Amino acid sequence: MTSPAPRTRHERLVGLLVLGVAVVLLVSSVTWFGSDRTVVGIGQLALGLVLAGVGAFLVRRARAR
């Protein structure tokens, strides 16, 4: 049986990756609003917020163990 440490590390790394993608989506969504494509910008903001929540959950869950 494997120890829980590798799994915790894996969850943390995946959580940080998802948080990184969320940051990129949130920061780059400004360009859609600037080019009068508001619907795309709102969709990108929504997806970025969801991914930020999932990433934060994974990072917090990995630290709690």
Side-chain angles (χ1 to χ4, degrees):
M1 183 182 271
T2 61
S3 66
R7 182 178 178 136
T8 301
R9 178 172 166 82
H10 178 73
E11 282 183 358
R12 182 175 176 271
L13 289 176
V14 170
L16 290 173
L17 175 67
V18 173
L19 279 174
V21 171
V23 167
V24 169
L25 285 173
L26 291 172
V27 170
S28 66
S29 66
V30 176
T31 60
W32 293 112
F33 291 109
S35 63
D36 292 331
R37 299 187 84 182
T38 308
V39 176
V40 177
I42 291 172
Q44 192 167 338
L45 275 175
L47 180 61
L49 290 174
V50 168
L51 287 178
V54 170
F57 171 76
L58 288 174
V59 170
R60 290 182 85 193
R61 180 175 155 178
R63 287 185 183 165
R65 290 184 184 180

